[in-house]
Amino acid sequence: MTDPIAALITMIKNAGAAERPLVTVPYSKIKHAILTCLLNVGYIASVSKKTKKGHPVLEVSVLYNSDGSPRVIHAERVSKTSRRVYMGVKELRPIRNGKGILILSTPKGILTNTQARKEMVGGEALFTLW
């Protein structure tokens, strides 16, 4: 797996499309921080660290809207392993007229674009969700 963050967001998007309640992903600190940020914003229902077959994993509960559609419809990786994309605080704009979010890796941790603007900090743009 060359890009574990891309695999993470693809697993969440595909689990929602397949109407699965849970998705299990391999554990890492960055994935845990990203999923905690998504939990705080309201794109996933819950996240918990468990052990399966002696290896740590993260169990993610997929969140659905009241009409049964998944909360995460589209996910797009911005910064890739071949091309890193960095954004300053002045470059951060609303995604899809405020209906989507941009996840950033900043010196203050993993933040959304609105949180990063409030903190007046920029960083590496990881991916967008809506």
Side-chain angles (χ1 to χ4, degrees):
M1 184 182 320
T2 59
D3 193 358
I5 295 174
L8 169 72
I9 61 174
T10 303
M11 285 181 193
I12 293 171
K13 183 180 75 167
N14 290 345
E19 298 179 358
R20 304 273 176 161
L22 288 173
V23 65
T24 304
V25 296
Y27 176 82
S28 74
K29 287 182 185 180
I30 187 80
K31 289 181 193 175
H32 192 80
I34 289 170
L35 290 172
T36 303
C37 183
L38 292 178
L39 177 66
N40 293 339
V41 177
Y43 276 87
I44 59 173
S46 67
V47 60
S48 61
K49 183 180 175 184
K50 305 225 173 164
T51 304
K52 281 193 176 178
K53 297 181 182 177
H55 298 286
V57 294
L58 292 167
E59 260 189 14
V60 182
S61 294
V62 181
L63 189 63
Y64 294 93
N65 295 324
S66 59
D67 62 350
S69 64
R71 182 76 168 97
V72 176
I73 297 170
H74 183 79
E76 184 178 333
R77 186 80 155 107
V78 176
S79 189
K80 301 174 182 168
T81 54
S82 59
R83 181 174 179 255
R84 300 293 182 189
V85 178
Y86 296 94
M87 293 184 166
V89 69
K90 292 180 182 177
E91 299 173 70
L92 298 176
R93 302 280 181 238
I95 306 297
R96 307 256 315 178
N97 293 325
K99 294 188 179 2
I101 60 169
L102 171 69
I103 301 295
L104 296 152
S105 175
T106 69
K108 294 189 177 184
I110 302 293
L111 300 174
T112 64
N113 54 342
T114 55
Q115 293 169 340
R117 284 184 65 134
K118 286 179 186 172
E119 296 284 333
M120 293 298 292
V121 66
E124 181 183 353
L126 298 177
F127 59 91
T128 59
L129 287 181
W130 65 82

